[in-house]
């Protein structure tokens, strides 16, 4: 499939190349925004081919000895190796790493703010004095904004990612959603994966299958991934969320995340500074 782009509204575009699906919006001086968008589009067309050439390494569990070469692949590895020796592959950070790569082309004079949304994993550019409001939709199947968080340029957050068993990628856990605020989209992406995996419990209402039965080239191999979660007792939901909170607090203490919101069956937890905690359990985001 050849790369394709479509204008959604003034300033907002949809870019598609194979599995890489971006929504991009930027504000600023028209000439500067146009130059940034042109440079980003030229780079975007190269990314998928680079990743495919290193796909075998990117689907393998990370370790300090792993070596990759492309800039996006290196971002993926760096975001994930900090979570070793727990099981994680660089693919846990692919969406966020692509978003980070593309947002870099908007970080130039004249561009006041911009975002690159790669299927809910968002990289952000903010010039001095700017801010961006991120809206929160608590349920993917019910696209109603139920909260928001405003990110200022003087703050540390430039990446947001959401993971959970209902998302695009497989999850080992049962979280409806785990949204992470971090310094980069790649860091948020990897952390959201790990925290969502930690939101877990055993119950007959939880259905799991080997990842390789659902997708024969899955980087998770024969590990059991969640395919359905029925109604769970409130006590068990609380236990599962508490496990996720423990994982989130550990990453917060290490400086790998700034804030986390976890949601499961109408219960939720927030981890991190009050000013950055998300007000409701998120499952997907949009920027405005």
């Amino acid at each position: 499939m050849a790369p394709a782009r479509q204008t959604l509204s003034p300033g907002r575009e949809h870019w598609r190349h194979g599995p890489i699906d971006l929504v991009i919006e930027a504000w600023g001086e028209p000439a500067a925004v146009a130059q940034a968008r042109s440079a980003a589009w030229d780079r975007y067309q190269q990314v998928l081919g680079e990743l495919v050439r290193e796909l075998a390494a990117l689907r393998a569990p990370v370790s300090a000895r792993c070596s990759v070469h492309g800039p996006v692949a290196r971002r993926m590895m760096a975001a994930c190796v900090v979570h070793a020796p727990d099981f994680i592959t660089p693919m846990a950070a692919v969406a966020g790493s692509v978003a980070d790569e593309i947002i870099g082309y908007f970080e130039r004079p004249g561009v006041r703010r911009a975002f690159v949304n790669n299927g809910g994993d968002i990289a952000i550019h903010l010039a001095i004095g700017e801010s961006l409001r991120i809206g929160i939709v608590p349920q993917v199947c019910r696209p109603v904004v139920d909260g928001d968080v405003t990110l200022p340029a003087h703050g540390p957050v430039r990446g947001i990612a959401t993971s959970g068993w209902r998302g695009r990628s497989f999850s080992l856990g049962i979280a409806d959603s785990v949204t992470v605020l971090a310094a980069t989209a790649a860091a948020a992406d990897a952390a959201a994966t790990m925290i969502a995996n930690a939101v877990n419990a055993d119950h007959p209402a939880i259905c799991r299958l080997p990842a390789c039965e659902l997708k024969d080239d899955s980087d998770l191999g024969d590990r059991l991934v969640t395919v359905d979660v029925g109604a769970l007792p409130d006590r068990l939901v609380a236990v599962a969320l508490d496990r996720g909170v423990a994982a989130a607090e550990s990453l917060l203490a290490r400086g790998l995340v700034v804030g986390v919101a976890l949601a499961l069956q109408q219960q939720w937890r927030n981890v991190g500074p009050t000013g950055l905690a998300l007000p409701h359990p998120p499952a997907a985001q949009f920027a405005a």
Side-chain angles (χ1 to χ4, degrees):
M1 179 186 296
R5 62 192 295 185
Q6 176 187 9
T7 299
L8 301 177
S9 61
R12 184 182 292 233
E13 289 192 356
H14 178 206
W15 296 0
R16 179 75 180 269
H17 191 195
I20 305 178
D21 196 323
L22 309 182
V23 174
I24 298 173
E25 189 162 5
W27 297 260
E29 298 172 7
V33 170
Q35 290 169 3
R37 199 181 299 275
S38 178
W41 173 252
D42 289 344
R43 175 68 183 116
Y44 174 72
Q45 296 177 80
Q46 304 167 7
V47 169
L48 182 59
E50 291 178 2
L51 293 175
V52 169
R53 286 192 288 273
E54 298 195 78
L55 200 52
L58 295 173
R59 285 177 173 164
V62 302
S63 75
R65 298 184 300 276
C66 292
S67 177
V68 291
H69 305 287
V72 177
R74 291 198 301 269
R75 289 179 189 272
M76 295 164 63
M77 187 67 72
C80 293
V81 73
V82 295
H83 297 284
D86 293 332
F87 173 80
I88 188 171
T89 78
M91 295 302 293
V94 62
S97 296
V98 171
D100 284 334
E101 180 75 6
I102 300 305
I103 200 66
Y105 290 86
F106 291 86
E107 296 170 351
R108 61 176 66 201
V111 180
R112 295 188 292 107
R113 55 181 182 151
F115 70 82
V116 175
N117 185 338
N118 191 357
D121 297 336
I122 305 172
I124 297 163
H125 162 63
L126 295 171
I128 295 173
E130 295 291 333
S131 65
L132 195 66
R133 183 180 65 87
I134 305 297
I136 305 303
V137 176
Q139 299 178 36
V140 173
C141 59
R142 182 176 173 268
V144 176
V145 177
D146 199 29
D148 62 72
V149 59
T150 298
L151 305 178
H154 63 265
V157 176
R158 293 295 183 272
I160 301 177
T162 298
S163 185
W165 76 268
R166 298 177 184 271
R168 295 187 304 169
S169 302
F170 297 142
S171 178
L172 307 182
I174 61 172
D176 288 333
S177 63
V178 169
T179 291
V180 172
L181 311 181
T184 66
D189 198 1
T193 298
M194 299 303 286
I195 298 169
N197 286 345
V199 179
N200 217 340
D202 291 318
H203 189 273
I206 300 170
C207 180
R208 309 179 201 263
L209 290 173
C212 59
E213 291 186 9
L214 302 170
K215 185 178 180 182
D216 56 11
D217 59 353
S218 172
D219 60 316
L220 299 179
D222 61 359
R223 288 174 173 80
L224 295 178
V225 298
T226 303
V227 296
D228 192 30
V229 181
L232 301 175
D234 288 346
R235 178 192 58 79
L236 193 66
V237 171
V239 168
L241 284 172
D242 286 346
R243 290 170 178 166
V245 166
E249 289 177 339
S250 175
L251 298 185
L252 182 69
R254 294 172 60 193
L256 298 178
V257 303
V258 178
V260 183
L262 310 88
L264 174 60
Q265 297 195 357
Q266 307 306 311
Q267 293 189 40
W268 55 88
R269 306 282 190 276
N270 288 331
V271 174
T274 302
L276 291 172
L278 303 180
H280 292 289
Q285 305 109 342
F286 77 93

